[in-house]
Amino acid sequence: MKIGILGGGQLARMMIEAVSKYDFRIYIYSTERNSPAGRLSHGETYGKWDDFSKLDKFIKKCDLITLENEFIDYHILEYIENSGVRVFPDSSVIKKIQDKFEQKKFLKENGIPVAEFCDAETEEDVIQFANEHKYPIILKSRTMGYDGKGNATVKSKDEIKDAFNAIAERGKVMCEKFINLKMELAIQAVRSREGEIKFYSPVETIQKNHICHLVIAPYNTETEQTEKIFDFAKTIVEKIDYVGVMGIELFLTDENEIIVNELAPRVHNTGHYTIEGSKISQFENHIRAILGYPLGDTELIFPYSVMINILGERNEKAKPQGYDLLFKSDNVFLHLYGKNETRKGRKMGHITVNGTDKNDTIKKALKSREVFNI
Ligand SMILES: Nc1ncnc2c1ncn2[C@@H]1O[C@H](COP(=O)(O)OP(=O)(O)O)[C@@H](O)[C@H]1O
Ligand SMILES: [Mg+2]
């Protein structure tokens, strides 16, 4: 089986780690030379997304193609599909999801609760939205936003001009009502080419500076909200005819309502714990799904699994240190993504801890992070 992945970052790398044991061949197309995934793959093609002669050669090597980020223009995916190789998730799905406004429209049309939103072509549109929905509101870039880059919170009319101009520099703008959050949650759903669907447990996610910091699995599975989350996830993957793993970010509001924040058409940072925390990881299940194989068991192995991201703290050459201290503990698992340069806030790796008590597992994860440096 020859699988191509568009993108050479850590998500692609962990897919390779998950399925190389089955002798599936993975080829990487990366805009960066010697990428984290490229180095573990059966071959890396280095080129721009629209370098069609390189893309053609890459397509010829692959039986099917998947992706690890939603920022590749869907026209590139259409080009691949037109040359006879299938892409999962396909161009029509990515087209809907890569524009946050289109994505929210799709969710709303299918009865999924989302924050009130509108398209904002001008500052006037923002003022009108704020008059209807009250401050604060959030301006979001419709495309290419990640880790909070592309969002701006606006607390009063005076702030609109600067915020609008800053976001408009990145692309088209949309507005959202600011939601008072009790908690941020996420779930990974997986749907195979055969239509089989499985879910991982919903998880609690804690962000620092808009970047995922800690993930705690599972989010209390006994509640009415969890049922809703499964319902929403099922509706979403079915209605969009999705194939693969999808990460779904959710909010638990102060009024205990569940609303969907955004969809990620790929394996997701909030599912990294599944590598050691669950029977079959999100990475293996993604590959099984796109190949049309039966999906693996998504159940947790321990009562709790906690993941903490290792973000860079300086700008310099990476120097991983602390293996000896980490390896002293049981049920602690380290992943480094093979990035040569550490940079402030850059995702360099993560640590997963499995345990039986929620608070102890969280404490152990925080401690493990402290003893490791990169
Ligand atoms: N409507 C909202 N109300 C309150 N907080 C929000 C809202 N939208 C986003 N946020 C906060 O900003 C973070 C990043 O926003 P998100 O839309 O997920 O963008 P990104 O693509 O950068 O992840 C969210 O995880 C949440 O903490
Ligand atoms: Mg997000």
Side-chain angles (χ1 to χ4, degrees):
M1 202 45 77
K2 289 172 287 183
I3 303 161
I5 305 179
L6 302 173
Q10 64 264 21
L11 301 180
R13 181 176 166 107
M14 289 185 270
M15 285 187 226
I16 299 175
E17 289 172 340
V19 300
S20 56
K21 63 189 171 196
Y22 301 134
D23 201 28
F24 296 162
R25 304 292 152 104
I26 305 240
Y27 297 98
I28 297 293
Y29 192 98
S30 173
T31 54
E32 179 197 346
R33 209 189 285 277
N34 212 7
S35 64
R39 274 183 275 150
L40 298 192
S41 72
H42 282 83
E44 176 184 72
T45 306
Y46 160 69
K48 294 203 173 112
W49 296 126
D50 59 355
D51 184 337
F52 292 99
S53 73
K54 287 210 174 134
L55 210 48
D56 284 340
K57 279 192 203 138
F58 177 73
I59 296 166
K60 281 209 183 76
K61 290 204 283 192
C62 304
D63 297 321
L64 83 180
I65 287 179
T66 186
L67 40 96
E68 64 137 29
N69 79 60
E70 60 276 40
F71 299 135
I72 302 164
D73 190 321
Y74 72 90
H75 291 104
I76 305 284
L77 306 182
E78 281 177 348
Y79 176 83
I80 297 173
E81 289 162 348
N82 290 335
S83 61
V85 171
R86 294 188 71 179
V87 180
F88 297 104
D90 69 28
S91 58
S92 70
V93 170
I94 297 301
K95 181 179 177 188
K96 250 186 219 143
I97 292 183
Q98 70 186 184
D99 181 328
K100 285 185 178 179
F101 176 70
E102 293 298 328
Q103 190 192 114
K104 283 250 150 73
K105 248 177 38 187
F106 158 79
L107 291 168
K108 196 174 169 188
E109 279 162 15
N110 287 287
I112 307 291
V114 292
E116 297 286 346
F117 67 99
C118 85
D119 182 18
E121 281 179 22
T122 61
E123 284 172 46
E124 260 321 300
D125 294 338
V126 181
I127 294 169
Q128 203 182 327
F129 182 83
N131 287 341
E132 274 169 43
H133 297 282
K134 299 205 183 82
Y135 294 95
I137 56 170
I138 296 197
L139 301 188
K140 291 188 180 181
S141 165
R142 284 175 52 170
T143 52
M144 306 296 272
Y146 70 99
D147 290 346
K149 296 181 183 73
N151 287 3
T153 306
V154 173
K155 295 192 203 71
S156 68
K157 193 174 170 189
D158 306 342
E159 295 177 7
I160 290 180
K161 194 181 177 57
D162 287 351
F164 186 87
N165 289 337
I167 300 297
E169 254 176 43
R170 304 176 72 95
K172 291 190 201 164
V173 183
M174 67 180 287
C175 298
E176 266 182 38
K177 188 175 163 54
F178 185 90
I179 304 292
N180 291 315
L181 306 177
K182 201 175 257 178
M183 200 186 276
E184 294 198 45
L185 305 169
I187 186 172
Q188 275 69 49
V190 54
R191 182 167 177 268
S192 82
R193 273 165 77 167
E194 305 298 316
E196 184 186 4
I197 299 177
K198 288 204 174 176
F199 306 106
Y200 289 90
S201 0
V203 297
E204 288 178 42
T205 73
I206 297 167
Q207 338 287 321
K208 246 192 203 171
N209 305 321
H210 300 282
I211 305 178
C212 175
H213 167 57
L214 205 67
V215 172
I216 303 157
Y219 166 64
N220 186 2
T221 48
E222 302 300 318
T223 63
E224 192 186 311
Q225 287 105 328
T226 6
E227 281 311 306
K228 272 199 187 150
I229 294 172
F230 288 128
D231 264 6
F232 296 158
K234 183 162 185 285
T235 304
I236 292 165
V237 293
E238 281 183 342
K239 292 282 182 195
I240 210 167
D241 197 12
Y242 193 78
V243 174
V245 166
M246 179 191 277
I248 306 175
E249 297 178 11
L250 307 133
F251 294 150
L252 176 64
T253 71
D254 274 354
E255 285 88 43
N256 283 323
E257 292 299 323
I258 296 286
I259 68 174
V260 171
N261 172 35
E262 64 165 342
L263 311 179
R266 52 175 168 78
V267 287
H268 197 250
N269 196 172
T270 58
H272 290 0
Y273 78 89
T274 63
I275 299 173
E276 291 91 7
S278 310
K279 289 185 179 160
I280 296 293
S281 74
Q282 64 165 348
F283 300 99
E284 175 167 342
N285 263 336
H286 178 72
I287 301 293
R288 288 195 195 194
I290 65 174
L291 293 174
Y293 288 138
L295 299 177
D297 197 343
T298 53
E299 215 182 300
L300 281 165
I301 295 171
F302 274 63
Y304 289 94
S305 186
V306 173
M307 187 236 43
I308 187 160
N309 268 339
I310 300 176
L311 302 180
E313 286 166 347
R314 306 171 278 286
N315 298 337
E316 60 183 34
K317 211 169 149 16
K319 281 196 256 31
Q321 276 167 336
Y323 292 98
D324 47 348
L325 292 170
L326 261 194
F327 293 163
K328 272 188 191 157
S329 300
D330 288 332
N331 298 314
V332 174
F333 306 96
L334 171 71
H335 291 260
L336 293 185
Y337 306 148
K339 297 179 184 177
N340 294 330
E341 294 293 321
T342 181
R343 280 201 301 271
K344 274 188 191 149
R346 189 178 199 197
K347 288 175 180 163
M348 302 300 288
H350 72 264
I351 296 168
T352 297
V353 179
N354 288 339
T356 47
D357 177 85
K358 183 175 173 181
N359 287 329
D360 288 349
T361 315
I362 295 171
K363 270 192 213 143
K364 199 167 171 183
L366 293 170
K367 246 213 164 103
S368 304
R369 174 64 191 92
E370 263 172 34
V371 302
F372 200 82
N373 269 305
I374 186 153

